[in-house]
Every structure is written in C-alpha cells, then in structure tokens.
Amino acid sequence: MGKIIPFPGNEVTLENVFSLEVNDIPEDKLEEILAQIEDIYSDLEQEEPEDTESEEYYEWSEMLEALDDLMDEIQERMDD
C-alpha cells in the first residue's frame, strides 16, 4: 500500500489514515491533518461495539490505539 502525502483537497479518512507517513507531512499541514485524525477518532469512538469480548471490539480498540499513537506522533513533530 502506498503512503499518503497530504495536499490541499486530499482528505484523511479512516480508509487511508493508516497509510499516512508522518515524516512526509509538510509542516504547514500538520495541524490540519491532526484535526482530521481527531475527527476520525471521535467518530470511531461513537461506534463502540457492545460485546467487549468480541473480535469486533478488539479490532475497534486496536484502531483507536493506532490513531492515538498517530496523533501523538504528529503532536511530537509539531512540538519540535
């Protein structure tokens, strides 16, 4: 799978967010991309599966954790 390099009009979605290469994001786009990922995270949180023992719940929680890690990585880059 190819990497996503954000540019105007290239929206980050749940389908492509995990292909994002943080080091390739232009510095002037970091805040915009972080806001898009925060929106994805918030939307995904709303879809919490009821059965906490299910495979679906496990996959859901893994996606949230991966998004959280990605947001942390972007925030660290912004802080540098």
Side-chain angles (χ1 to χ4, degrees), residues 16 27 35 41-42 47:
N16 67 21
E27 287 186 34
Y41 186 94
S42 179
E47 300 175 12

Side-chain angles (χ1 to χ4, degrees), residues 45 47-64:
E45 269 188 317
E47 300 175 12
E48 180 177 358
E50 289 183 28
D51 182 2
T52 60
E53 300 297 320
S54 68
E55 182 66 26
E56 181 183 13
Y57 186 89
Y58 174 77
E59 291 173 3
W60 171 83
S61 65
E62 289 290 311
M63 281 195 291
L64 283 180

Side-chain angles (χ1 to χ4, degrees), residues 13-24:
T13 65
L14 183 58
E15 290 76 29
N16 67 21
V17 70
F18 298 111
S19 299
L20 196 64
E21 294 291 335
V22 173
N23 291 328
D24 292 336

Side-chain angles (χ1 to χ4, degrees), residues 11 13 37 39:
E11 187 174 336
T13 65
I37 296 170
D39 288 344

